[in-house]
Amino acid sequence: MNNNKIHILRQAKKVLGATLILAFIGEMIFFPTLPNFYGCLMAVISFAVFIYFLQEKYITYYPFAFFMYLSMFMYRFLPLIATIVEGKPITYGFERAYETFVYEIILFLISSLAFYLACRPKEIFKKNGAIQSLLNELKFFDITPSIIWGMGVTGLVIRLYNFSNGDVEYGDVSGKFLLGLDYLMYSPLILFFPSLANLKYNKNRIVWIYATLIFIINIASNSRRQIIIPIGILALLFILYLVINNLKITDFISPLKLSFLLIFTIIIIKFLSTISLAMLYTRKIRADVDKLELFQETINVVRNKELMTRLSDSKDQISNNLTKYQEGWTEEYVDNFMLARYANMRITDETLYYAEKRGYANRQMQESFFNKFTGTFPSPILNFFGIHINKEDLEYSRGDILYGSGFGNYRVTSHVGDGLATFNYWYFPFQFIVNIIIFYLLNCFVFFSNKSVKYAPFALMNVFTFLGMFRNAGGILIDLNYIIRGYIQGIITYFIIFIIIKKTLLLFNKKLIK
């Protein structure tokens, strides 16, 4: 390991620190209240703890666990930055500000301890765990550019097939299986940074063309998350590449090109915000038309300047007229749709409101948790043990149960709100144990050999998924789902595709030789 300070990390610490100071000062000047000060304190504590882990050894040896931990930090740090930029206090719309900030600080400290215990760089290279050794023997860490392209094409075909067949309904086993393989279409993005997969590849023009193609297809999906995914994958792989090679951004790209890139990024963000607004408008017809028609209608909305102006004005009006929790469910907080994924602290505040209203350790929340947790296991296993569950009855979100009505709307929930409503304060030690397990499992996607590090291509393809493992969704139930089913299922399906593509390529090469 290079003993010099890592350039990109040194830059990151300076930028994050300066941004925090400016946001703190701005918050206290324009919104000088005690609840807002608590919000600033949450950001400061999160930053102070995160800085300790912002080191080469944690990112290089445990990148996938680190990216999950990064999302935990972002959720406590970004709200202050995002709201002050938009001219709002960090407590914008809050009704349980003190509880929100205190509980989120507690959860972050617990999660940080779990990360520390699961990631101990001093013992690396001595031996790998049983899972890592098994995966290495099965060639899980090996791949070739040809197989990567084969996976990419396979994933692209699956995505286009899913487009033509619409949304997957309950009971459609093959449809759900194919939906779980969508990530394959992002595998060629690894070739932007081939050294991460121990490869040599220099046909970047083809990769750029492919990346542009999947970006356009994702816009056609009418899903804002799908638009973010390729951008997020490239950003995280880029960060990992810079850290491993001890580079600054300007070592990778010239200052002039960087300036053009920043300008281009601003333009793209503005464009995506416009597309996002149009997507929200056309979402009401998403179930009634095919993807091509939906894409065309989204473009028509974007081109209709008068309609876009009305939609923008309507959005501003909603922001100026906040919905109270007693009036109904609301997720209004940060305007930027990308930041809203990782900075919507108001969801914690809102779910705590409903958790208090229902009562901590609520029996209905516990019964729902038990039923959905049991439903996580495959039906054949449940039937073998004589457990019969109609999984169609579980087609609702934890947020729906917490809110108390309107099942099927799939409202998101926060980890804290859902946890306290279900387990009372026992939630915190429970989440602590779960986090340790997940961090350990993610660390198994790294193999240490002869003082070198090998990253599983499967993990590199899914790197953005790890960043999104801690965000407002289904609370701790999502974490358990990953431990019990998602982790193993992902590895097995990857192996199946890997073997099929490898044998297909070998067969194809033999025919060419003949």
Side-chain angles (χ1 to χ4, degrees), residues 102-389:
V102 169
Y103 290 146
E104 286 293 356
I105 290 173
I106 293 173
L107 181 54
F108 183 69
L109 294 177
I110 286 174
S111 302
S112 299
L113 179 59
F115 181 76
Y116 174 77
L117 294 176
C119 307
R120 296 193 173 186
K122 64 181 181 180
E123 302 225 340
I124 60 166
F125 299 129
K126 289 188 177 180
K127 66 175 183 176
N128 293 284
I131 296 177
Q132 289 162 294
S133 299
L134 176 61
L135 292 176
N136 186 59
E137 289 181 12
L138 295 173
K139 306 300 182 184
F140 186 68
F141 296 92
D142 300 328
I143 203 165
T144 66
S146 298
I147 294 177
I148 286 178
W149 277 113
M151 288 183 169
V153 172
T154 301
L156 189 60
V157 171
I158 290 173
R159 169 57 62 86
L160 295 176
Y161 173 80
N162 289 334
F163 272 10
S164 63
N165 284 273
D167 295 330
V168 177
E169 297 182 358
Y170 177 80
D172 184 359
V173 178
S174 61
K176 287 192 174 184
F177 175 77
L178 292 177
L179 194 63
L181 298 177
D182 262 6
Y183 73 89
L184 292 171
M185 70 183 292
Y186 303 114
S187 55
L189 298 182
I190 297 174
L191 297 176
F192 278 114
F193 312 99
S195 61
L196 294 179
N198 295 315
L199 298 173
K200 292 183 178 180
Y201 192 85
N202 55 10
K203 299 177 182 179
N204 282 344
R205 182 174 297 180
I206 299 176
V207 185
W208 274 112
I209 294 173
Y210 180 83
T212 303
L213 175 63
I214 63 173
F215 185 72
I216 294 173
I217 290 175
N218 281 358
I219 291 178
S221 70
N222 198 257
S223 168
R224 296 184 294 177
R225 181 177 179 274
Q226 294 298 328
I227 293 176
I228 300 173
I229 289 177
I231 300 173
I233 290 174
L234 288 175
L236 294 177
L237 293 180
F238 184 43
I239 292 171
L240 183 56
Y241 178 84
L242 292 176
V243 171
I244 290 174
N245 293 280
N246 195 12
L247 298 171
K248 294 183 295 186
I249 294 179
T250 49
D251 291 331
F252 190 81
I253 183 172
S254 68
L256 180 61
K257 289 183 179 180
L258 181 60
S259 299
F260 281 114
L261 180 62
L262 291 174
I263 295 172
F264 179 72
T265 302
I266 293 172
I267 294 173
I268 286 294
I269 291 175
K270 184 174 178 59
F271 168 73
L272 291 179
S273 296
T274 302
I275 289 290
S276 172
L277 194 60
M279 282 181 175
L280 289 176
Y281 180 77
T282 58
R283 187 164 291 179
K284 58 188 177 184
I285 64 169
R286 184 162 64 180
D288 303 322
V289 299
D290 60 39
K291 296 295 183 181
L292 187 60
E293 290 176 311
L294 186 62
F295 177 67
Q296 184 61 51
E297 183 59 29
T298 302
I299 297 300
N300 291 337
V301 172
V302 172
R303 294 171 62 184
N304 189 332
K305 294 183 178 179
E306 183 178 343
L307 176 57
M308 289 300 298
T309 300
R310 290 205 308 270
L311 292 176
S312 181
D313 291 341
S314 176
K315 183 179 179 182
D316 292 338
Q317 186 176 3
I318 292 174
S319 297
N320 294 328
N321 296 282
L322 278 171
T323 302
K324 299 291 185 181
Y325 300 151
Q326 63 182 5
E327 298 171 357
W329 186 266
T330 175
E331 296 179 13
E332 181 64 30
Y333 188 59
V334 179
D335 294 335
N336 184 280
F337 81 96
M338 287 190 286
L339 284 176
R341 293 271 170 177
Y342 303 96
N344 198 336
M345 183 62 66
R346 195 182 181 203
I347 293 297
T348 297
D349 185 80
E350 182 172 21
T351 51
L352 281 174
Y353 169 87
Y354 287 111
E356 291 181 9
K357 188 175 180 180
R358 281 186 159 276
Y360 290 178
N362 177 267
R363 182 170 293 278
Q364 186 182 12
M365 291 293 293
Q366 292 173 346
E367 291 176 355
S368 166
F369 179 87
F370 176 78
N371 291 335
K372 289 183 77 70
F373 174 73
T374 305
T376 297
F377 293 89
S379 296
I381 294 178
L382 294 176
N383 293 335
F384 178 80
F385 287 101
I387 302 174
H388 303 287
I389 294 180

Side-chain angles (χ1 to χ4, degrees), residues 27-28 31-41 80 89-92 101:
E27 188 79 16
M28 291 298 94
F31 308 106
T33 66
L34 188 57
N36 291 334
F37 175 77
Y38 267 68
C40 292
L41 190 61
L80 175 63
I90 190 174
T91 55
Y92 179 75
F101 296 134

Side-chain angles (χ1 to χ4, degrees), residues 16 19 23 42-43 46 70-85 90 333-334 338-345:
L16 289 174
T19 303
M42 177 190 67
S46 301
L70 174 62
S71 70
M72 297 174 174
F73 164 70
M74 290 167 58
Y75 188 67
R76 282 85 181 188
F77 183 81
L78 287 180
L80 175 63
I81 313 303
T83 51
I84 198 68
V85 168
I90 190 174
Y333 188 59
V334 179
M338 287 190 286
L339 284 176
R341 293 271 170 177
Y342 303 96
N344 198 336
M345 183 62 66

